Amino acid sequence: RRPRGGTPPSRPSMPVVGLLATRACAIGAAASIARRGALRAARAPVIHHRHRAGCLSTRAEVDQTLNPRVAALRPSKTMALTDKAREMKESGLPVIGLAAGEPDFDTPAEIVRAGCDAIMNGHTRYSPNTGTAALRKAVCAKLKEENGLEYSPSEIVLSNGAKQSVAQGVIATCGPGDEVIVPAPYWVSYPEMCRLAGAEPVVVTTTADEGFLLTADKLRATLNDKSRLLILCSPSNPSGAVYTKEALEAIADVVRSHPRLLVLADEIYEHIIYEPAKHFSFAALPGMRERTLTVNGFSKAFAMTGWRLGYLAAPQHFATATAKIQGQTTSGPSSISQEAAMAALSLGKFGGAPVATMKKAFQKRRDYVCQRLAKIEGVKLASPQGAFYVFPDVSGLVGDGCVAEGFGPIADADALCEYLLEKAQVALVPGSAFGNPECLRISYAASDETLREALDRIEKALAAEVYVRG
């Protein structure tokens, strides 16, 4: 800057040769930049300029092609309905959501304290990819004591929820040309995970008369050379059905005759089971450990849905494969959640007193919901043996001649759920989401007062004065 009242400072002199060299370098650099710009322009998408009322707008043609496997995925109806109910409630509507599979209880205090202590004590760094050694050892001890399963810590892969564990198990073992046997009713994500892996889900329908359980005869009739994986969920989401040891043994006999067939056993609801039913791990049956991927976690039994922590136990070869997927996608689960999980596994066998208290409450709610639904004309329901869902058959409420006042025809369970959300402001999930269009799923993981109000509304919406059955 020129000093006030002074003369301009003189520029340092530069020899003529140096000045010419500098200018030559500048010209060469400019030419190089121009060439690079031309190449970028050649590769860039076409730009269209539009003039509107004196304004210049620029729009690029973008290729929006998706991976065909991703494009073929169907959205989760349970998540969609849960989100819709939440949005309606946030807008001021008194919606009751019975669509989500989430305990309404708080996480037990001992677990919460362990999580808080983890934060305060600096356990906030990245976790090892497959989880901490301490928790993997604790999971091994749990599996041995409660399930009769022997695993080494290297055969345990801790993930960000059991959902991730299931997905990685499917992707690691299945691919194009493979078929995955999925008994219906099924958890909504099983078929989509198969499609994401490039495999074909083969849905095998089970009936209420069969207890919504896959029989050995149906499995045998479905298998072929393409069959790679059988998915079993016990206790079942959405039906609450529980496989007996005898039923599992019959299935294992069929599995043995197909050397290529693996089994993914989803046991996330194992602690939420009502007497006289008992839980049996499929991998504990003779000859099944080497071909079974067992999935479990902390979300359901310990009311830790938001902590996002599950695990897979499998023979080393398959555990290593799932760990590779995790290492290139999410990496290890939350270090804080793992410290909390250590406390969960320290509560006692089968979750100790906190889990027993929650299970007792769930059983009371199950009995109440079943009693209320049994009084509604057109509803058929068998009492579930586990989990926290009822899966009533509502075929007597839908179809030809079924009409709701102010809404119109009720063609199927999807329309019935839409009507109940609009009229009664109760969110339920149609059975079509689970491969059984004649049913719907009601979660009773809600307070007694909430369930009472929800069922009052449903009864009112289905009363003969406003709802005509076919």
Side-chain angles (χ1 to χ4, degrees):
R1 178 177 297 177
R2 180 186 303 177
R4 181 172 298 181
T7 58
S10 60
R11 295 180 178 177
S13 61
M14 177 179 290
V16 174
V17 175
L19 179 60
L20 291 175
T22 300
R23 288 178 177 175
C25 289
I27 292 170
S32 176
I33 292 171
R35 285 194 299 272
R36 290 198 300 270
L39 289 172
R40 282 197 297 269
R43 293 194 296 264
V46 178
I47 306 296
H48 296 272
H49 299 279
R50 294 182 179 179
H51 296 272
R52 294 179 183 174
C55 296
L56 178 65
S57 65
T58 303
R59 178 175 62 84
E61 293 287 352
V62 178
D63 185 347
Q64 295 184 332
T65 303
L66 298 175
N67 182 323
R69 296 181 188 177
V70 174
L73 289 179
R74 302 166 188 169
S76 167
K77 284 189 178 181
T78 55
M79 297 192 71
L81 284 165
T82 300
D83 290 345
K84 184 175 181 179
R86 185 180 293 112
E87 290 171 4
M88 292 174 68
K89 193 169 184 178
E90 289 174 351
S91 70
L93 295 173
V95 173
I96 297 175
L98 300 181
E102 182 172 38
D104 62 306
F105 299 106
D106 290 334
T107 304
E110 300 92 330
I111 301 174
V112 173
R113 281 196 295 270
C116 293
D117 289 344
I119 296 172
M120 298 305 295
N121 294 330
H123 294 289
T124 55
R125 307 291 183 183
Y126 283 134
S127 159
N129 182 50
T130 57
T132 64
L135 183 54
R136 284 185 285 117
K137 289 178 183 177
V139 168
C140 289
K142 178 266 179 214
L143 290 172
K144 181 176 181 180
E145 181 181 15
E146 297 181 0
N147 306 88
L149 298 172
E150 292 269 4
Y151 289 97
S152 66
S154 64
E155 295 175 307
I156 307 298
V157 179
L158 294 156
S159 299
N160 300 280
K163 192 170 192 175
Q164 181 179 359
S165 300
V166 173
Q168 291 178 168
V170 173
I171 293 170
T173 57
C174 303
D178 290 331
E179 292 183 352
V180 181
I181 313 304
V182 184
Y186 48 70
W187 179 46
V188 294
S189 295
Y190 291 149
E192 304 312 310
M193 290 174 176
C194 299
R195 294 186 180 100
L196 189 60
E200 182 67 25
V202 177
V203 175
V204 181
T205 301
T206 66
T207 66
D209 291 337
E210 295 169 327
F212 292 125
L213 297 171
L214 177 69
T215 65
D217 288 340
K218 279 193 173 182
L219 175 61
R220 187 179 293 108
T222 305
L223 297 177
N224 57 52
D225 292 340
K226 296 181 180 179
S227 303
R228 177 57 174 160
L229 186 68
L230 164 65
I231 299 181
L232 291 176
C233 181
S234 181
S236 166
N237 173 10
S239 70
V242 176
Y243 284 89
T244 63
K245 185 177 182 181
E246 292 72 24
L248 292 176
E249 287 174 335
I251 289 174
D253 287 340
V254 178
V255 172
R256 287 190 193 94
S257 62
H258 291 263
R260 189 169 182 268
L261 186 64
L262 304 175
V263 177
L264 191 149
D266 186 346
E267 302 183 356
I268 190 65
Y269 293 96
E270 68 162 338
H271 289 330
I272 307 173
I273 195 167
Y274 315 116
E275 294 181 353
K278 293 183 179 180
H279 175 72
F280 295 95
S281 288
F282 190 81
L285 299 175
M288 291 300 106
R289 183 196 183 280
E290 58 266 28
R291 62 169 71 201
T292 301
L293 290 75
T294 299
V295 172
N296 211 322
F298 299 85
S299 295
K300 310 300 184 180
F302 297 101
M304 293 177 67
T305 51
W307 297 80
R308 308 312 302 133
L309 189 62
Y311 59 86
L312 176 141
Q316 189 66 64
H317 175 69
F318 299 120
T320 299
T322 63
K324 287 180 182 179
I325 298 171
Q326 184 159 296
Q328 297 293 358
T329 51
T330 65
S331 299
S334 164
S335 56
I336 300 163
S337 298
Q338 291 182 74
E339 292 298 315
M342 288 291 293
L345 293 180
S346 300
L347 293 175
K349 193 173 183 179
F350 306 125
V355 172
T357 299
M358 287 188 277
K359 186 175 78 169
K360 184 177 180 180
F362 282 136
Q363 185 167 2
K364 178 184 175 183
R365 295 170 182 179
R366 177 204 65 172
D367 295 343
Y368 174 75
V369 170
C370 288
Q371 180 186 7
R372 291 288 300 269
L373 290 175
K375 295 178 180 179
I376 299 177
E377 181 186 354
V379 175
K380 294 185 291 185
L381 174 66
S383 182
Q385 297 176 301
F388 38 66
Y389 313 103
V390 292
F391 199 60
D393 183 323
V394 294
S395 55
L397 292 172
V398 303
D400 293 341
C402 293
V403 180
E405 183 181 275
F407 183 86
I410 305 293
D412 50 31
D414 285 68
L416 178 59
C417 287
E418 185 180 349
Y419 164 67
L420 291 174
L421 181 58
E422 180 181 310
K423 179 71 174 180
Q425 295 185 333
V426 177
L428 310 175
V429 187
S432 59
F434 310 101
N436 190 319
E438 296 182 341
C439 299
L440 56 80
R441 192 189 78 173
I442 303 174
S443 169
Y444 53 86
S447 69
D448 296 350
E449 294 76 17
T450 298
L451 292 173
R452 187 178 301 111
E453 174 64 21
L455 288 162
D456 286 346
R457 295 184 190 182
I458 292 172
E459 280 186 356
K460 185 177 180 181
L462 297 177
E465 302 83 49
V466 297
Y467 197 94
V468 178
R469 283 127 172 102

